[in-house]
Amino acid sequence: MPYPDRFYPVVDSVAWVARLAALGVGTVQLRAKNLNDSEALQLISDALGVAKGSATKLVVNDYWRAAVVAGARHLHLGQEDLAEADLNAIRDAGLTLGLSTHDDAELETALRAKPDYIALGPIFPTTLKSMRFAPQGIPKITEWKKRIGDIPLVAIGGIKLEQAREIFAAGADSIAVVSDVTQNADPNARVRAWLGLNAEAA
């Protein structure tokens, strides 16, 4: 399977990781904010534990030191995290690296780090957090995919299943999904619908 998978949910708890792993999701990002080192290590270790033995690849957001110690294989960093991270230590530990980008300057910074994928967002307005950046829109996906070439491009930000085909057609290799799963009235059915769309494209 490609990495990251075409459907790439982002969640904030071990319970969500376990739920998605049980549903057969291939790539899941664990994004929890404001943890100290020991809390981060515990959370990541627990999440790796529930994903073990499943098809799920767990991507750790932000806490790269804890990810290394816990034996994680995949890491995602925002621009602020990237500025403070030790890329040599991350690579030496064998972690894949995904990076968030929101504008041209951030894309240049990300490309210098030679990431395994680049995330572009927010594509649409998002209610989950206040964004410093305006929505990028679907045409930006096509533009950036041309610029980054073979590096997988992940679209993120306010995306719903109904928009997925258009976003893949614009050039995205993967779609990171947050509220369309976690705030859905029937998350399991929504996940299965996303996985069905993946299977369609396989």
Side-chain angles (χ1 to χ4, degrees):
M1 285 297 290
Y3 172 76
D5 288 70
R6 284 163 63 83
F7 170 52
Y8 182 10
V10 180
V11 296
D12 63 0
S13 71
V14 172
W16 269 114
V17 173
R19 184 174 187 168
L20 295 171
L23 288 165
V25 176
T27 309
V28 176
Q29 184 182 131
L30 179 63
R31 182 172 73 187
K33 295 300 181 184
N34 304 317
L35 304 180
N36 63 35
D37 289 347
S38 63
E39 289 168 339
L41 181 57
Q42 186 66 58
L43 181 73
I44 295 164
S45 299
D46 291 347
L48 287 168
V50 299
K52 192 173 182 182
S54 75
T56 300
K57 298 178 285 289
L58 183 77
V59 183
V60 175
N61 183 295
D62 186 8
Y63 303 102
W64 67 268
R65 291 184 183 84
V68 169
V69 173
R73 310 309 309 154
H74 308 285
L75 181 69
H76 183 96
L77 297 177
Q79 293 278 321
E80 295 84 357
D81 306 319
L82 174 62
E84 298 170 3
D86 183 338
L87 291 181
N88 289 330
I90 290 165
R91 292 300 190 192
D92 288 348
L95 286 156
T96 68
L97 178 63
L99 297 174
S100 293
T101 61
H102 306 88
D103 61 22
D104 290 332
E106 291 192 349
L107 177 59
E108 292 305 317
T109 299
L111 288 171
R112 283 196 293 274
K114 297 184 168 49
D116 295 280
Y117 70 82
I118 283 175
L120 167 66
I123 303 303
F124 301 120
T126 174
T127 56
L128 286 182
K129 56 181 181 178
S130 60
M131 298 298 295
R132 291 183 294 124
F133 298 93
Q136 304 287 335
I138 292 175
K140 194 65 156 298
I141 296 170
T142 306
E143 177 193 330
W144 280 33
K145 185 57 188 172
K146 284 178 184 160
R147 288 172 65 180
I148 68 177
D150 292 337
I151 302 171
L153 179 62
V154 178
I156 186 170
I159 301 169
K160 299 194 178 327
L161 177 67
E162 292 76 14
Q163 298 151 331
R165 285 187 179 86
E166 187 180 3
I167 286 169
F168 285 132
D173 298 289
S174 173
I175 297 176
V177 180
V178 191
S179 60
D180 195 48
V181 167
T182 60
Q183 296 182 9
N184 197 279
D186 188 347
N188 288 19
R190 197 63 162 176
V191 168
R192 290 190 189 100
W194 273 100
L195 292 173
L197 184 68
N198 275 9
E200 228 177 76

